Amino acid sequence: MATYPTKRLRRLRYSPLVRDMVRETVLTKNDLIYPLFVVPGKNVKKEVRSMPGVFQMSIDTVVEECKEVEKLGIPAVILFGIPDHKDEVGSGAYDPNGIIQQAVRTIKAEVKKLLVITDVCLCEYTSHGHCGVLHGENILNDETVSLLAKESVSHAEAGADIIAPSDMMDGRVSAIRKALDYKGFSHIPILSYAVKYASGFYGPFRDAAESAPAFGDRRSHQMDIANSDEALREAESDIEEGADMIMVKPAGAYLDIIWRVKEKFGMPTAAYQVSGEYAMIKAAGKNNWIDEERVMIESLIAIKRAGADMILTYFAKEVARYLDKNK
Ligand code: PBG
């Protein structure tokens, strides 16, 4: 094996063209999934306080947004809904005329080249902000799972292309798979939030989705941030239950988990660069403490380098514009 001075690793860094030639990881538009928050009303476009550039939008505005996303060449959006009324059992989540069901129908009718993924959970729809049906202060797993299956079917009936359960209840992937198959949606893939940590990085999302729990937290179902072997068990059970794609969330502080999950299972793997990751980069960028565009790209390249095949990111539109500009 050659050693210095024969071997000089700097040779492959001496010009931009050489660096381009040996680059291992590239970010493309096909990697991007853009999250959108749908609210009731008309002509609504309200910026989320803690997420500059991210808006709550009514269906008409979301449709316009989706047309822009399609034009930018981003292949997919994921929808979150904020209903006009919330109740104990989150009935807005599986109402055939709920906010998401209406949004999906309208988008699918008006925007042709865009995958519409729906987030399946109850937390945006329950009056207490928890991800399931409660008994006292406990979330009932199996009762919740039945409602999630119902929610998934209603999304598929509205025209959703991919179903993405984010609740972290046990057994929900198999229940959703069975329900979808029974109703004639055996062709609709499931992207499961297989490895979702109980993370402080979700803070701004709870402003955006108005889904903060009224009491307690989500530690009885989301994973302990200190665990890594357990992530493999979570991923394995979702794959066994029929998940077509799996997700790790958050992304930036969990690159080791993305790596392990991808190495072990070789599944199509998504990573969610969550609201807090976005908010931190935006805030530091606005203060001119960091070069926002550069850090945005660096954060996403790192996630891909760790093994992610796709990234859910609030930066999707900015990245698409960046890629157009830097072709
Ligand atoms: C639950 C859900 C959450 C996020 C996506 N789906 C919030 C939570 O678990 O509290 C967070 C996404 C983000 O922070 O950007 N429906």
Side-chain angles (χ1 to χ4, degrees):
M1 278 259 264
T3 54
Y4 172 85
T6 314
K7 176 160 147 189
R8 289 178 186 269
L9 290 167
R10 288 184 58 199
R11 275 189 210 113
L12 295 184
R13 296 175 203 143
Y14 89 96
S15 84
L17 285 175
V18 175
R19 291 197 292 273
D20 286 350
M21 190 160 76
V22 298
R23 182 160 303 118
E24 297 173 35
T25 307
V26 283
L27 189 62
T28 74
K29 291 181 183 179
N30 280 332
D31 303 327
L32 304 171
I33 300 172
Y34 189 46
L36 292 170
F37 299 98
V38 194
V39 293
K42 255 199 156 340
N43 206 14
V44 181
K45 187 170 180 182
K46 186 174 161 223
E47 194 163 37
V48 179
R49 184 183 57 87
S50 48
M51 300 175 77
V54 173
F55 299 85
Q56 293 182 330
M57 286 177 269
S58 50
I59 293 174
D60 52 329
T61 317
V62 155
V63 168
E64 291 315 305
E65 184 76 0
C66 285
K67 287 181 183 161
E68 192 190 336
V69 169
E70 178 192 40
K71 208 146 133 217
L72 281 167
I74 297 165
V77 294
I78 180 163
L79 301 184
F80 297 93
I82 298 111
D84 52 14
H85 88 282
K86 306 194 183 208
D87 59 29
E88 286 282 299
V89 290
S91 48
Y94 36 89
D95 176 349
N97 276 317
I99 182 89
I100 284 296
Q101 292 78 357
Q102 287 185 42
V104 173
R105 274 198 293 271
T106 319
I107 296 167
K108 291 308 292 179
E110 296 197 31
V111 191
K112 290 296 161 220
K113 238 185 121 212
L114 187 68
L115 287 170
V116 176
I117 306 173
T118 54
D119 181 89
V120 168
C121 194
L122 296 186
C123 65
E124 294 115 62
Y125 304 91
T126 51
S127 43
H128 42 71
H130 281 285
C131 303
V133 185
L134 296 182
H135 179 71
E137 297 205 343
N138 293 324
I139 301 175
L140 299 173
N141 192 88
D142 301 3
E143 288 75 355
T144 300
V145 164
S146 320
L147 297 181
L148 296 167
K150 209 166 146 185
E151 179 179 2
S152 302
V153 168
S154 76
H155 290 180
E157 281 170 348
D161 297 298
I162 298 173
I163 301 294
S166 69
D167 52 282
M168 291 294 281
M169 295 298 120
D170 288 324
R172 91 272 205 218
V173 173
S174 66
I176 291 171
R177 186 70 273 158
K178 267 194 214 111
L180 288 174
D181 292 359
Y182 180 71
K183 295 282 186 176
F185 298 107
S186 58
H187 59 292
I188 296 293
I190 296 176
L191 163 60
S192 83
Y193 289 66
V195 181
K196 179 174 177 183
Y197 286 91
S199 168
F201 286 100
Y202 307 149
F205 176 91
R206 293 176 189 174
D207 290 340
E210 299 173 15
S211 63
F215 61 87
D217 54 38
R218 307 215 198 287
R219 286 175 220 258
S220 80
H221 53 291
Q222 298 180 348
M223 272 186 57
D224 186 328
I225 58 164
N227 294 355
S228 162
D229 291 339
E230 188 188 357
L232 301 182
R233 298 198 292 274
E234 277 289 358
E236 184 171 40
S237 60
D238 281 13
I239 295 164
E240 280 169 2
E241 289 180 33
D244 302 282
M245 302 178 271
I246 52 179
M247 192 194 302
V248 174
K249 178 182 168 194
Y254 297 83
L255 297 179
D256 56 324
I257 307 299
I258 298 172
W259 177 258
R260 284 191 78 185
V261 163
K262 183 67 186 178
E263 280 282 295
K264 171 127 189 192
F265 301 108
M267 292 285 287
T269 303
Y272 199 145
Q273 182 182 50
V274 300
S275 56
E277 300 178 68
Y278 175 83
M280 291 194 307
I281 295 172
K282 276 282 167 196
K286 285 214 181 303
N287 276 300
N288 284 319
W289 293 342
I290 56 170
D291 175 341
E292 183 180 320
E293 185 179 82
R294 188 171 167 189
V295 173
M296 164 182 88
I297 296 298
E298 188 172 336
S299 67
L300 295 167
I301 292 275
I303 294 166
K304 268 209 89 178
R305 198 189 59 231
D309 301 292
M310 1 171 198
I311 307 173
L312 295 85
T313 175
Y314 302 99
F315 284 119
K317 280 169 53 184
E318 287 173 69
V319 172
R321 286 193 200 102
Y322 169 92
L323 293 173
D324 285 339
K325 198 173 67 193
N326 294 280
K327 258 205 277 256

